[in-house]
Amino acid sequence: MALSVASLISTPVIPKTSKSRHFAFNSHKHHPTSVSLRPCSASLATIRASTSFDLRSYRTSLISVIESELDAALTVYYPENMYEAMRYSVFRSGAKRAPSIMCIAACELFGTPRAAALPTAAALEMIHAASHMHDDLPCMDAAPVRRGQPSTHAQYGVGVALLSGDALFPLGLGHTATKTPSDLVPREALVLVLKEISRTVGCTGMAAGQLLDLSGAAAKGEVEVLQVLEKKFGGLAECSAVCGGMLAGANEEDQAALRQYGRTVGVLYELVDDVLMESNGRAGKMRSNASVVRTLGMERTLELVEQLRDKAKNGLQRFGDQYGDRVLPLYSFVDYAVERGFEVEGGVEAAAVTAAATSSAAASS
């Protein structure tokens, strides 16, 4: 079930006279690195999330587990250059593993072991990487660089990047279907997850978002630009959260709450990205038209950031009431989306894996 644009912005507009918004500057970079906004209404969950849970440690502890799963799923076969390109994109240095970690956090929320979600978490990373491979192509956002490295098509050629991205989608679905432990996840739940992933990447999800972006729809107004962000970015976060719940046997009401939470956080993250990119002269941003700041202005964009942050946190209250501290990983994602207070240390192991795969392929050719 897709969520409407109206559902994301149904909270009241913050008056434009508010003086509480400001950027936090990093003196070494001389441009904003986070967005500090007015405090949310105080709640027990807010206080506990800010004082007793370390998102960085939680994420760091999961990255090696996720990358081991990805390594096993992406063994190099013939044609080697296709697998090398897939691994190059999946194991790119600096990957935050947000989709997979959100999926695992949602699964663990209901007390289900993370092993139930690990294959799906890996699949979501494959899909995320594939979307980047396609978004960067010359016919899409025309990005020669991603995370400080050559984009996949710049490294391997347009044809290899296009086809390798195509191959990652079914590889992820197949990994979920064959590696999800049947003793932890009933077949009915697995089918729901496969349907959810397929819907997310298809003609009503990410593919539609990219097409709308290419068409310039985002420049038309608030509803249109948020629709692009929902489909192109928010959909994967929604999928990540709800799939974790599905794997854990969440009921329909809990699934609906996870959908709203995931989609809201996904759009929130992109809004803050857009604020930071516009404030830095759009460094790193290529052809994409989905700029809320350019369409609506900085003031309205910051209002939307505030609204969505509050909406995401309020949507988790039901889980805090039911599951206590187990909601904190999901809760802390919201503040991280706005504040970007740290960088997850990773990529060293992934780089070694990629180098080993490349050497192995070269030796066999």
Side-chain angles (χ1 to χ4, degrees):
M1 176 189 299
L3 302 177
S4 66
V5 173
S7 71
L8 283 177
I9 55 174
S10 58
T11 50
V13 175
I14 309 299
K16 290 191 176 183
T17 56
S18 170
K19 302 297 184 182
S20 58
R21 299 181 211 95
H22 66 277
F23 285 119
F25 285 87
N26 181 313
S27 60
H28 298 291
K29 295 184 178 180
H30 305 289
H31 65 82
T33 57
S34 66
V35 183
S36 298
L37 305 169
R38 63 175 179 80
C40 295
S41 56
S43 67
L44 178 60
T46 305
I47 296 169
R48 295 175 78 183
S50 63
T51 60
S52 65
F53 181 77
D54 185 350
L55 179 63
R56 178 176 185 168
S57 296
Y58 179 77
R59 293 177 75 154
T60 302
S61 71
L62 281 176
I63 284 178
S64 61
V65 177
I66 293 163
E67 293 192 344
S68 293
E69 184 80 10
L70 287 166
D71 184 29
L74 286 164
T75 303
V76 176
Y77 297 107
Y78 177 84
E80 288 85 355
N81 60 341
M82 175 176 286
Y83 285 91
E84 290 167 17
M86 289 192 289
R87 292 180 68 89
Y88 179 81
S89 184
V90 168
F91 290 108
R92 186 181 297 276
S93 177
K96 298 178 179 66
R97 304 302 184 206
S100 51
I101 293 171
M102 185 179 287
C103 178
I104 290 171
C107 182
E108 291 184 325
L109 171 67
F110 299 95
T112 300
R114 65 180 54 166
L118 196 53
T120 299
L124 291 168
E125 289 299 332
M126 295 183 213
I127 289 163
H128 196 204
S131 72
H132 287 167
M133 293 167 81
H134 285 172
D135 285 356
D136 291 343
L137 290 171
C139 61
M140 299 294 180
D141 290 353
V145 175
R146 179 170 289 275
R147 298 194 188 114
Q149 299 171 287
S151 54
T152 307
H153 74 269
Q155 184 77 6
Y156 290 92
V158 172
V160 172
L162 175 63
L163 294 172
S164 298
D166 289 345
L168 275 172
F169 289 116
L171 184 63
L173 287 169
H175 187 73
T176 300
T178 59
K179 299 300 182 180
T180 300
S182 59
D183 59 327
L184 295 177
V185 180
R187 177 179 174 82
E188 296 77 12
L190 180 58
V191 170
L192 288 176
V193 167
L194 294 172
K195 288 173 64 177
E196 183 67 27
I197 294 173
S198 299
R199 180 198 64 79
T200 298
V201 302
C203 56
T204 61
M206 293 164 66
Q210 183 66 38
L211 182 60
L212 289 172
D213 190 13
L214 285 174
S215 72
K220 295 179 180 179
E222 184 168 306
V223 171
E224 291 81 2
V225 70
L226 288 176
Q227 185 176 52
V228 173
L229 294 186
E230 278 191 42
K231 291 182 176 296
K232 190 174 178 181
F233 305 108
L236 183 60
E238 175 190 335
C239 180
S240 301
V242 77
C243 281
M246 289 173 171
L247 291 162
N251 62 37
E252 290 187 3
E253 289 184 356
D254 286 342
Q255 288 181 32
L258 287 170
R259 284 186 184 282
Q260 183 72 71
Y261 159 81
R263 180 162 290 246
T264 303
V265 171
V267 175
L268 174 62
Y269 193 94
E270 292 303 321
L271 283 178
V272 174
D273 259 8
D274 196 41
V275 169
L276 298 177
M277 287 176 181
E278 290 290 350
S279 301
N280 193 33
R282 300 198 62 76
K285 192 77 170 177
M286 305 307 292
R287 191 193 302 171
S288 177
N289 296 300
S291 169
V292 183
V293 175
R294 284 186 295 175
T295 300
L296 304 179
M298 184 67 78
E299 185 72 12
R300 176 55 181 158
T301 302
L302 291 175
E303 289 172 358
L304 289 171
V305 169
E306 289 183 347
Q307 291 176 29
L308 296 187
R309 185 187 63 173
D310 287 352
K311 191 175 188 69
K313 286 189 172 183
N314 291 337
L316 289 175
Q317 189 63 51
R318 61 182 284 120
F319 298 121
D321 294 341
Q322 289 178 278
Y323 303 112
D325 286 353
R326 292 209 298 262
V327 77
L328 295 184
L330 293 178
Y331 205 94
S332 60
F333 263 95
V334 183
D335 284 330
Y336 177 75
V338 177
E339 296 168 6
R340 313 294 168 88
F342 63 85
E343 289 292 330
V344 177
E345 295 297 330
V348 175
E349 182 174 318
V353 168
T354 305
T358 303
S359 298
S360 175
S364 62
S365 60

